[in-house]
Amino acid sequence: MNGPIVSGRDPRFEKTLYKHVGQPNSWTLDYYLSHGGYQAIKKAIAQGPDWVIEEVKKSGLRGRGGAGFPTGLKWSFMPKNTGKQHYIVCNADESEPGSFKDRYLMEDDPHQLIEGMMIAGVAIEASKGYIYIRGEYRRAYDRLISAIREAYAAGYLGQNVMGSGFSFDLYVHRGAGAYICGEETALMNSLEGLRANPRMKPPFPAQAGLWGMPTTINNVETLCSVVHIVERGADWFASMGSEKSRGHKLFQVSGPFKRPGVYELPLGTTFRELLLDWAGGPTEPIQAIIPGGSSCPPLPWTEEILDTPMDYESISAKGSMLGTGGVIGIPASMSMVDAMWNVTRFYGHESCGKCTPCREGVSGWMVSLFEKIGTGRGRRGDVELLESILDQIEGRSFCALADAACWPVRGSLKHFRHQFVEAVEQGKPIERQGSRWG
Amino acid sequence: MGFFDDKQDWLREVFAQYPDTPQGRRAAIMPMLRRIQQEEGWISPERQKEVARILGITATEVAGVMSFYSYYQALPTGKYHLQVCATLPCAIGGADELWDELVQELGILRGEVTPDGLFSIQKVECLGSCHTAPVIQVNDEPYVECVTKARLKALLQGLREGKRLEEIVLPGRVGHEVHLRGEEVGA
Amino acid sequence: MLKVTINDRTVEVPSGTSVMDAIFHAGYDVPLFCAERHLSPIGACRMCLVRIGSPRKGPDGHFIMEGGQPKIFWLPKLSAACITAVSDGMVVDTLSDEVRHAQSGMIELTLFNHPLDCPTCDKGGACELQDRSYEYGLVEKFYQPDPMELPLYTRFELTRRHVDKHHPLSPFIVLDRERCIHCKRCVRYFEEIPGEEVLDFTERGVYTFINSEEKGLPSNFSGNIVDICPVGALLDQTARFRARNWEYATTATTSMDDASGAAILVDTRSGLLERIRAAERREVNEIWISDAARFGHEWVNENRVRTPLVRKDGKLVEATWEEALGAIRKGLEGVAGADIGIYLAGNSTLEEGLAALELTQALSTPHRDFQGRTAHPVGVFAPASFDELLDAEFVLVLGDPAEEAPTLHLRLSEYSRGLKPAAKLAHGTPFADLNIKERMPRLTHKLALFSAYPSSTAWWAGASAVHAPGMEAALLAALLDKAEAPAGLSEPVAWVKARLVASSRVVLVLGAGVLNQPQAAQKAKELAERIGGRVMCMTPAANARGLEALGLFPGKGGAGWSEVGPRVVYYAYLPSEKQLRAASFRILHLTHRHPLADKYADVVLPGQTAYEKRGHTVNLEGRVLPLEPAGINNGQADSAVAALGLVAEAAGVRTPVRLVRQATRLLVEKHKLPPVMERWLPKSTSWAVSDADVTIGSLYLRPTMWRREQLVGAVAKVVEVRLEMSPATARAQGLADGYQVELALPDGPERLEVRTVEGLPDGVMYVPALGAWAGRSVEAKILVGGRA
């Protein structure tokens, strides 16, 4: 076969990120070494930072945490030879509803992440790294700590790693339940022991990040991908996916499907392949899918959408985003108003409270308005009111959380407006059809 | 008796993870608060003052950081603090009904503790286990997933009997699920 | 300088200026809540959203043109003007519909949970939220599309959040959590200015509220948050419900509570002093004042002497000024001029000082002085200005600025963050100075501090120590390499010596402790000359520099303010009972009645508080500052100029000073007094200093920002007056926590409670000076001691 790899059924496609996830003792150093681990870091140290950054740039890797910023470019923002302490920070705060891919990377293949962070450390001249892991991921934390201990004992971490002259110290910092800490500047404030409000940019983290030092923050999946890019080459990575969306991706499926879970597939795989083939198809009629975590506008369950390739440009063209690749199926038996009420409550609860539009708009007005409509007290004009509030919040806030709260509601109003209008006109509390709990 | 009086070695290890400056030392606040939360079930005003004293910051600062997060509790919790995920994928899995059942069964609301001191409940946001919805986290333990009616009943029963969480046998699923080989998930 | 175009005007601003300040500089407006002068800009309130664009260069290096002009590429989203720095050629739009829509939306969202308290809120009429709502809120286009329809006043029909209202943070400040619009000015103020993080947000999202875990908001600079809170969330408890803002008569004057010369606004209503606020004086106090200057005013209205009083049949009775003149004339019969002593208060104006000087010269008496004059003159030290302070590389402090010169403490906070004086733009002080950031680290290598009592200014010092009172001379000798460092101080002394060598611009700050010990002060002068540094003298008397420069100190053989005076005395304050008893005829010029005055005074003249005086003062920078009288009903009170004019007439001498304005003119003509805000640096006059008058006792009167007369009302609830000592000292004295003792103080005996404090030097007892005796050590004489 020729051409880019855009299907998990393509015989050329080989799992790398989740290759060992699910295998017995996959998280131990012995397992990692016996499966060819800690070779890529040797190569990276030998080739040096410039080569590593070039290779990652060539691969086309984009940040896998949801923002999709080109990773090589981000690394190239770091200053060189400053004499200051540089930091590589892993954003393991995975809190986007519908996302759970990073969790198993850390639970079942922590050494892969450790190696990825070290390679990043070579690239950006960072001799210290922090993994900011969400506090709830207890097993992932235990496995990471155990793996780090093993790595130190065997000389893969610490001073003079494997006799190479490169030193790297790695620490794990646990969060405590705040979605906003997934925002990179809020993450830094949280790590420093402050209230986790986001910071102004400029200055950018590469100029002044953790404790004012040059810092780069990357997602777990991004850092793990780097290991395989270094090992197998940028061309291998770029052979998957499309021109603007290269490489493989961990997709998640949740909602009423036969086989919800995490699926490692090339970018460009269609929704159809992921949801009907790999995930076994719906267990009840589905009206909409959220393609990449709750911040993404829902898309209707249509043939056209199912045939859409899952990559940044194609989903964007349909009016939504790839995000984290966490697909949530919304059953037809649940009102979209109900689903959006739930999602809005999420953002309201997670708003940090710094800026007016998010605090009063999302956490205040949107939540109250949904409660009003959802409990059957909606009045004529409430849908228009909701839309006008969205206009005042989106694009006006300090960070993207408020935008992320607006996008799904806008998307729902675009495709499912009639449900909102009905809820308001009928003035009845939203009912769930039948029990959802088994 | 200060909480950290007999944990000086642990404190030293924690501080060693961060820069040795006043700003750097402040990063230890989250691990310190977590340890208190884990061992005492809540973080009392006295403990907050102790943390402030050790870090050289004000009690107001400690309260400000502590109250920002969902995990740190300002009121006492039960021996088993049940955190129920309420976000969309779990709601689709029935989390709202699960919550109502818990409220009914235990007879408490958020912020309260059952008379036997065993249980308190809290709705939390997406725990990151959407494919095994609905999900409950007990204290700081790995998740209890696919919490069906039957599994919830067995969970509460086991906890009431004083069993450790890992010992409790829950009907249905075994182990965590990663569905790469076409395995069905089910209750 | 960068070119920026705001709407239709192009201006030039320095690089690094925020777009917000460029907008104001151009004469346009943008609403703001979270930005504040001298605080870090944070972009939280989103009121200042504007549309920003810039021209772009194409691949050929030239601007991409459109219609003969460089094409403006507008940013896709509106930007917060306060946290965006200008770039060359930037174009800013503040007037388009998009911007106005955003402004009205942000106002609507800010008002979302804000209670409809205006009718009962003390901020009404002076509220930034009211003003911005009126200016930017109900934009017709968005809220009244059809002119024939009723305007849509609100789209809000839900329940607002309910939280604590009138929560007393301290006896000075009351917090209404519902009114808070979360601008974070108060939180940032505490961290950035006094460096005391006693206030912070709690919880997150819409549930966020302001909270303090430190009971009573323990900060001597807490009051400034009442000024900067844009709404009625943080309010002055001492002025609660006293008046509506538009009912106040406001007078801008200078605070005489310390020698800093901070500018204040005095609010009066119906002749009563109700409230004091800070006024902006960029060069001196910026926009801040201490709690003593702000809340220490409740004593002014009560118990005033409103008319002259003369003694008839052994009792003081109300009289007219003419009757007082007669009584004084009678009292001066047969008294030589040289037997008369004139003693002014330390916060007297230059005009009053001149009146005293001219009178004593006319009387040929050497007995003249002002209360609180230090043992060593301050005029011999070349004064540093606050701007010079910010420019210094190193500052050495011997004293406690937080108590002795509160404005200096706050300027040192600015200094220790490495900030320079703010640029002056067309609108004055920048509102969003991008040089100021949240949580800037303190550059502790720039400051060293030694004090006889723990000072909070020491938090910012790279080296600091608390030493026993009286050690200042030995300490300075060590710094001059003339002696070994005193025990326990060798490390900080060595550090300071190294810093002095490494720094070229040094400022020396001397407290009352040094200035009251001539030996120490002499050494300080030597040190200042050696390092080429200027000096700030934190004198207990507010106008010490000015009165000293006029020559208001004893002549040869004259009695000073702290000694027993001659036969006939005029005091413009209440002296000690000992001094009253020693005289035979006493003229007391007082603001308030007092039992001692009732007992001893022969004539009482009604006096003015500093808030009621017209005239000039000189602060510790040597800067001339004005005083304007506030509209306080003080009966027939008058200044010392009038009172001394009366005394002159009674004594039968002529002085050229009988009216305040006359005195001012004379100051300008004869003493070359420069205009207000300029520095007055006359050739220093001073007196022969003798070591003999200084005794180092074991009771140290430590300087405090509070004065005795202020201890009423809310101040009495906040300020604790205790006899403090180390636990070892207490044990040695047979005392313990809670014991009540009666102590002999210079002004008279006083009952005090003992409190032990760790870290104080052994063998010393401390009591707040609360006035003129600050920085002096006296013999500790416990008259009555025992259990509580």
Side-chain angles (χ1 to χ4, degrees):
Chain A
M1 290 183 73
N2 283 327
I5 306 169
V6 288
S7 164
R9 297 288 179 206
D10 190 319
R12 294 172 295 167
F13 176 69
E14 190 196 331
K15 278 206 307 253
T16 51
L17 291 172
Y18 261 43
K19 186 164 181 177
H20 307 296
V21 171
Q23 300 305 316
N25 297 311
S26 61
W27 51 89
T28 61
L29 180 60
D30 284 337
Y31 181 103
Y32 195 64
L33 286 173
S34 64
H35 285 80
Y38 287 117
Q39 297 306 309
I41 179 61
K42 282 195 187 126
K43 191 170 170 189
I45 294 172
Q47 297 284 354
D50 293 336
W51 178 88
V52 175
I53 294 180
E54 265 318 297
E55 202 65 13
V56 171
K57 268 187 178 165
K58 269 196 330 209
S59 73
L61 173 65
R62 291 167 70 160
R64 297 291 193 238
F69 192 86
T71 307
L73 186 61
K74 196 187 226 182
W75 287 3
S76 71
F77 290 153
M78 288 290 278
K80 299 213 184 297
N81 301 319
T82 59
K84 290 186 185 164
Q85 174 70 55
H86 291 193
Y87 292 105
I88 175 69
V89 175
C90 172
N91 185 344
D93 191 56
E94 183 168 65
S95 303
E96 182 81 20
S99 315
F100 39 95
K101 58 182 173 73
D102 296 336
R103 176 171 157 211
Y104 298 110
L105 280 173
M106 293 185 286
E107 281 190 11
D108 288 347
D109 208 347
H111 284 284
Q112 184 182 206
L113 174 60
I114 294 172
E115 192 173 4
M117 288 197 72
M118 294 206 317
I119 295 173
V122 169
I124 65 167
E125 295 176 23
S127 61
K128 283 189 200 275
Y130 286 95
I131 299 173
Y132 186 101
I133 183 174
R134 66 175 296 181
E136 299 87 335
Y137 276 177
R138 172 62 188 277
R139 185 177 285 130
Y141 171 74
D142 287 344
R143 298 259 174 94
L144 268 174
I145 289 293
S146 164
I148 290 175
R149 215 168 272 149
E150 286 182 310
Y152 267 106
Y156 290 102
L157 278 175
Q159 295 298 305
N160 199 9
V161 164
M162 295 180 283
S164 67
F166 172 67
S167 298
F168 194 75
D169 278 317
L170 187 56
Y171 311 107
V172 182
H173 183 101
R174 294 182 77 177
Y179 166 74
I180 186 64
C181 293
E183 201 278 340
E184 65 176 14
T185 60
L187 189 155
M188 290 191 292
N189 272 344
S190 176
L191 215 166
E192 291 186 17
L194 306 168
R195 284 173 63 88
N197 298 132
R199 296 179 184 177
M200 303 184 313
K201 292 196 278 204
F204 290 89
Q207 269 60 57
L210 217 46
W211 299 295
M213 299 292 131
T215 307
T216 295
I217 300 115
N218 287 124
N219 171 260
V220 176
E221 188 185 344
T222 311
L223 289 166
C224 292
S225 302
V226 159
V227 176
H228 307 285
I229 290 172
V230 166
E231 201 168 295
R232 294 159 190 253
D235 291 336
W236 160 81
F237 191 79
S239 71
M240 298 178 277
S242 65
E243 196 201 316
K244 294 225 182 79
S245 309
R246 297 209 182 277
H248 49 51
K249 178 85 185 73
L250 295 171
F251 294 99
Q252 302 112 99
V253 178
S254 60
F257 290 97
K258 275 226 192 79
R259 293 187 291 271
V262 185
Y263 294 95
E264 183 179 350
L265 298 165
L267 279 168
T269 306
T270 60
F271 282 109
R272 189 182 294 279
E273 181 182 326
L274 171 68
L275 298 172
L276 299 182
D277 184 353
W278 295 100
T283 54
E284 59 177 286
I286 288 184
Q287 60 171 320
I289 52 163
I290 293 178
S294 65
S295 307
C296 306
L299 296 169
W301 181 265
T302 62
E303 300 301 314
E304 188 196 336
I305 295 297
L306 282 171
D307 284 324
T308 308
M310 294 187 296
D311 61 44
Y312 295 97
E313 323 82 86
S314 307
I315 301 183
S316 181
K318 292 286 185 280
S320 189
M321 308 118 178
L322 177 64
T324 59
V327 182
I328 309 173
I330 302 177
S333 59
M334 175 185 262
S335 163
M336 282 305 288
V337 181
D338 197 4
M340 289 302 105
W341 183 10
N342 183 298
V343 161
T344 302
R345 270 204 310 267
F346 168 79
Y347 289 107
H349 192 208
E350 299 296 340
S351 165
C352 80
K354 173 171 180 169
C355 73
T356 306
C358 189
R359 185 186 64 247
E360 307 292 342
V362 175
S363 189
W365 212 342
M366 277 174 72
V367 171
S368 300
L369 197 50
F370 267 102
E371 187 184 339
K372 184 184 172 208
I373 297 174
T375 49
R377 292 178 291 125
R379 279 212 335 220
R380 199 159 58 90
D382 274 348
V383 180
E384 289 75 13
L385 177 62
L386 178 61
E387 284 174 320
S388 74
I389 295 170
L390 293 176
D391 284 339
Q392 288 291 16
I393 298 172
E394 195 181 342
R396 312 250 200 254
S397 56
F398 189 87
C399 80
L401 192 148
D403 295 328
C406 292
W407 293 327
V409 178
R410 273 210 204 280
S412 306
L413 285 169
K414 180 168 160 195
H415 295 290
F416 303 95
R417 193 155 206 250
H418 55 282
Q419 291 192 30
F420 286 81
V421 173
E422 243 171 62
V424 162
E425 279 178 0
Q426 282 175 10
K428 285 202 314 236
I430 294 187
E431 272 166 25
R432 300 260 174 86
Q433 291 170 24
S435 167
R436 299 219 55 85
W437 192 34
Chain B
M1 187 26 202
F3 180 84
F4 291 103
D5 285 353
D6 58 349
K7 300 177 182 69
Q8 294 298 307
D9 287 336
W10 180 85
L11 263 186
R12 251 188 299 275
E13 267 175 45
V14 169
F15 281 122
Q17 297 200 50
Y18 307 105
D20 189 17
T21 61
Q23 292 89 352
R25 267 189 287 283
R26 201 183 155 133
I29 189 176
M30 287 180 80
M32 287 169 77
L33 289 174
R34 178 169 282 273
R35 179 110 195 229
I36 300 172
Q37 175 65 43
Q38 280 171 330
E39 295 191 17
E40 299 192 337
W42 71 303
I43 304 169
S44 65
E46 289 72 46
R47 296 294 185 230
Q48 290 174 42
K49 285 194 183 70
E50 187 184 343
V51 171
R53 201 180 22 87
I54 294 173
L55 294 176
I57 60 179
T58 59
T60 305
E61 288 294 287
V62 173
V65 170
M66 179 190 135
S67 61
F68 188 86
Y69 299 97
S70 306
Y71 176 70
Y72 306 127
Q73 306 300 321
L75 292 171
T77 55
K79 185 169 177 205
Y80 304 109
H81 185 59
L82 307 174
Q83 296 140 94
V84 180
C85 176
T87 317
L88 185 60
C90 281
I92 293 171
D96 295 325
E97 292 168 67
L98 164 55
W99 174 265
D100 289 341
E101 171 68 25
L102 266 179
V103 169
Q104 186 84 336
E105 158 88 19
L106 299 175
I108 52 172
L109 293 170
R110 165 81 175 112
E112 298 172 349
V113 181
T114 51
D116 56 9
L118 280 182
F119 298 110
S120 52
I121 55 178
Q122 180 185 5
K123 264 195 199 176
V124 292
E125 301 296 342
C126 181
L127 287 171
S129 195
C130 317
H131 57 319
T132 60
V135 176
I136 292 182
Q137 181 170 32
V138 182
N139 296 341
D140 187 29
E141 300 300 315
Y143 303 149
V144 181
E145 300 168 4
C146 288
V147 184
T148 57
K149 287 193 176 119
R151 283 164 72 86
L152 176 66
K153 194 157 167 216
L155 172 69
L156 292 177
Q157 174 85 345
L159 292 175
R160 283 199 176 102
E161 284 169 7
K163 291 212 181 95
R164 286 204 334 266
L165 188 63
E166 359 8 320
E167 291 172 340
I168 303 176
V169 174
L170 300 174
R173 300 173 57 251
V174 175
H176 70 272
E177 308 302 300
V178 178
H179 309 286
L180 305 170
R181 289 185 183 75
E183 285 127 24
E184 303 271 334
V185 73
Chain C
M1 299 292 271
L2 305 175
K3 267 206 182 55
V4 189
T5 304
I6 318 287
N7 301 319
D8 58 344
R9 297 177 199 164
T10 303
V11 291
E12 280 199 352
V13 288
S15 166
T17 306
S18 61
V19 172
M20 173 179 275
D21 284 309
I23 293 171
F24 288 130
H25 183 70
Y28 278 109
D29 263 323
V30 75
L32 58 91
F33 289 127
C34 66
E36 178 58 278
R37 293 162 292 177
H38 303 291
L39 292 183
S40 57
I42 59 168
C45 69
R46 314 310 284 180
M47 287 305 309
C48 65
L49 292 173
V50 291
R51 207 161 70 109
I52 292 181
S54 52
R56 278 194 204 157
K57 292 205 171 112
D60 61 353
H62 292 142
F63 284 123
I64 300 170
M65 306 296 279
E66 186 184 59
Q69 293 287 334
K71 178 171 174 170
I72 303 302
F73 290 84
W74 297 101
L75 292 176
K77 292 199 302 187
L78 297 176
S79 317
C82 61
I83 51 175
T84 311
V86 301
S87 60
D88 206 19
M90 183 185 264
V91 180
V92 180
D93 150 39
T94 70
L95 298 174
S96 67
D97 272 356
E98 191 184 344
V99 172
R100 295 181 72 207
H101 182 239
Q103 289 166 344
S104 67
M106 292 305 110
I107 286 283
E108 191 178 18
L109 289 172
T110 308
L111 289 169
F112 179 75
N113 271 315
H114 192 82
L116 284 172
D117 281 355
C118 296
T120 55
C121 174
D122 266 347
K123 201 77 177 178
C127 172
E128 292 185 48
L129 182 58
Q130 279 183 338
D131 291 346
R132 299 298 93 72
S133 300
Y134 188 73
E135 293 157 8
Y136 296 95
L138 275 183
V139 179
E140 250 180 40
K141 183 174 289 198
F142 310 125
Y143 293 99
Q144 188 187 357
D146 189 331
M148 294 311 291
E149 291 254 339
L150 283 173
L152 183 62
Y153 287 119
T154 181
R155 305 188 292 176
F156 179 78
E157 337 158 72
L158 305 165
T159 315
R160 296 193 148 101
R161 72 178 194 156
H162 288 301
V163 273
D164 244 354
K165 298 181 79 70
H166 45 80
H167 170 91
L169 283 176
S170 73
F172 293 144
I173 299 178
V174 59
L175 165 67
D176 188 312
R177 289 184 168 132
E178 284 186 4
R179 298 177 189 165
C180 175
I181 60 170
H182 305 86
C183 68
K184 208 181 176 184
R185 281 182 186 174
C186 56
V187 175
R188 280 143 59 214
Y189 163 78
F190 271 119
E191 193 279 312
E192 294 170 23
I193 311 294
E196 302 162 299
E197 296 177 72
V198 294
L199 211 56
D200 201 358
F201 284 127
T202 307
E203 309 218 1
R204 64 176 191 231
V206 78
Y207 305 103
T208 317
F209 61 92
I210 285 289
N211 185 42
S212 175
E213 293 294 327
E214 272 50 50
K215 294 289 168 271
L217 213 61
S219 163
N220 271 336
F221 298 91
S222 63
N224 290 306
I225 60 177
V226 162
D227 275 348
I228 60 177
C229 180
V231 296
L234 291 164
L235 292 169
D236 187 334
Q237 180 81 297
T238 63
R240 190 157 145 83
F241 299 147
R242 297 303 297 167
R244 300 303 261 154
N245 281 298
W246 57 87
E247 293 175 334
Y248 283 126
T250 302
T251 311
T253 184
T254 301
S255 168
M256 297 297 274
D257 284 316
D258 61 77
S260 309
I264 54 173
L265 298 171
V266 180
D267 291 330
T268 62
R269 178 174 180 244
S270 306
L272 293 173
L273 197 174
E274 302 290 9
R275 182 177 73 177
I276 303 206
R277 294 174 288 147
E280 183 173 15
R281 190 171 273 165
R282 296 173 84 245
E283 296 83 344
V284 181
N285 63 306
E286 296 179 326
I287 54 173
W288 317 116
I289 55 176
S290 69
D291 280 2
R294 179 187 300 275
F295 299 120
H297 63 79
E298 289 181 283
W299 61 283
V300 168
N301 293 330
E302 307 288 312
N303 201 25
R304 293 293 296 263
V305 178
R306 292 186 178 281
T307 68
L309 305 168
V310 298
R311 203 165 281 281
K312 279 203 180 109
D313 302 320
K315 274 178 53 188
L316 284 176
V317 296
E318 287 185 8
T320 61
W321 280 85
E322 284 71 24
E323 287 173 303
L325 173 61
I328 296 174
R329 202 174 259 142
K330 202 140 170 277
L332 292 181
E333 269 171 17
V335 175
D339 281 334
I340 304 174
I342 308 290
Y343 298 96
L344 290 187
N347 63 3
S348 300
T349 61
L350 291 175
E351 285 78 357
E352 292 174 318
L354 186 66
L357 186 74
E358 294 286 347
L359 176 58
T360 54
Q361 279 171 0
L363 291 171
S364 304
T365 170
H367 306 292
R368 60 176 166 262
D369 208 352
F370 61 92
Q371 193 195 27
R373 180 178 58 87
T374 48
H376 190 279
V378 299
V380 300
F381 295 104
S385 70
F386 287 115
D387 276 357
E388 283 161 6
L389 177 81
L390 288 192
D391 195 43
E393 285 175 13
F394 185 70
V395 174
L396 172 61
V397 178
L398 286 112
D400 184 4
E403 297 283 358
E404 303 191 54
T407 298
L408 174 57
H409 175 74
L410 297 185
R411 299 308 301 265
L412 282 171
S413 166
E414 198 180 358
Y415 161 78
S416 73
R417 287 179 291 150
L419 294 170
K420 299 296 169 204
K424 195 149 192 265
L425 298 165
H427 54 286
T429 313
F431 269 90
D433 189 342
L434 290 169
N435 291 315
I436 309 176
K437 304 178 187 63
E438 283 186 284
R439 319 195 76 90
M440 294 172 78
R442 305 279 172 175
L443 306 171
T444 52
H445 65 277
K446 294 175 67 158
L447 181 67
L449 188 143
F450 298 95
S451 55
Y453 184 83
S455 162
S456 51
T457 319
W459 297 337
W460 307 320
S464 66
V466 178
H467 56 77
M471 299 264 10
E472 290 87 350
L475 178 60
L476 284 158
L479 289 170
L480 285 164
D481 279 319
K482 287 188 172 166
E484 290 291 310
L489 297 178
S490 41
E491 232 186 87
V493 164
W495 188 84
V496 172
K497 288 210 289 214
R499 291 294 301 134
L500 288 174
V501 163
S503 315
S504 51
R505 293 184 306 281
V506 181
V507 169
L508 197 57
V509 177
L510 304 175
V514 171
L515 297 169
N516 277 318
Q517 293 169 56
Q519 273 207 28
Q522 294 280 51
K523 294 206 169 52
K525 180 155 188 291
E526 214 184 308
L527 184 63
E529 276 157 14
R530 181 190 291 192
I531 61 182
R534 298 185 148 230
V535 183
M536 284 191 146
C537 296
M538 304 189 288
T539 52
N543 196 5
R545 253 196 194 269
L547 297 171
E548 236 190 63
L550 279 180
L552 194 63
F553 44 83
K556 201 148 181 276
W561 69 275
S562 53
E563 303 165 297
V564 159
R567 281 179 58 198
V568 176
V569 285
Y570 162 94
Y571 285 105
Y573 56 90
L574 188 73
S576 69
E577 185 164 6
K578 183 164 158 219
Q579 289 166 311
L580 285 168
R581 234 197 319 238
S584 53
F585 189 78
R586 314 145 193 97
I587 306 161
L588 297 185
H589 190 183
L590 303 175
T591 57
H592 288 66
R593 299 291 297 256
H594 193 278
L596 280 180
D598 288 344
K599 188 169 173 192
Y600 290 102
D602 296 288
V603 177
V604 176
L605 298 173
Q608 297 172 324
T609 64
Y611 306 111
E612 299 146 32
K613 294 193 184 180
R614 176 182 305 285
H616 296 82
T617 182
V618 178
N619 75 348
L620 45 58
E621 294 174 289
R623 196 185 296 268
V624 176
L625 297 168
L627 277 102
E628 276 288 316
I632 297 171
N633 185 344
N634 53 20
Q636 297 179 41
D638 214 330
S639 74
V641 175
L644 292 174
L646 199 78
V647 172
E649 204 177 313
V653 296
R654 297 213 63 193
T655 89
V657 181
R658 300 183 70 96
L659 301 167
V660 172
R661 288 188 207 271
Q662 196 180 38
T664 310
R665 214 171 34 240
L666 208 58
L667 283 165
V668 172
E669 285 165 9
K670 195 164 147 197
H671 295 267
K672 306 278 178 282
L673 190 73
V676 155
M677 289 306 286
E678 282 181 31
R679 315 270 290 285
W680 186 37
L681 305 165
K683 232 158 76 90
S684 67
T685 53
S686 65
W687 55 91
V689 180
S690 108
D691 290 343
D693 28 308
V694 176
T695 46
I696 309 289
S698 59
L699 175 67
Y700 183 66
L701 295 142
R702 63 176 178 90
T704 63
M705 62 166 62
W706 306 96
R707 289 192 326 281
R708 189 167 296 277
E709 59 265 24
Q710 292 177 308
L711 298 181
V712 297
V715 175
K717 294 191 195 128
V718 167
V719 178
E720 288 184 328
V721 182
R722 300 271 183 275
L723 179 65
E724 291 176 323
M725 62 194 80
S726 68
T729 314
R731 276 194 298 275
Q733 294 280 334
L735 300 169
D737 259 312
Y739 278 29
Q740 297 282 333
V741 296
E742 196 169 299
L743 201 62
L745 292 177
D747 276 339
E750 188 169 333
R751 211 143 232 262
L752 288 167
E753 188 180 304
V754 172
R755 175 190 282 155
T756 55
V757 177
E758 295 281 352
L760 292 178
D762 289 329
V764 187
M765 293 198 271
Y766 294 86
V767 70
L770 299 172
W773 291 91
R776 290 179 187 243
S777 300
V778 300
E779 213 189 303
K781 266 203 331 225
I782 297 177
L783 306 168
V784 177
R787 235 164 249 285

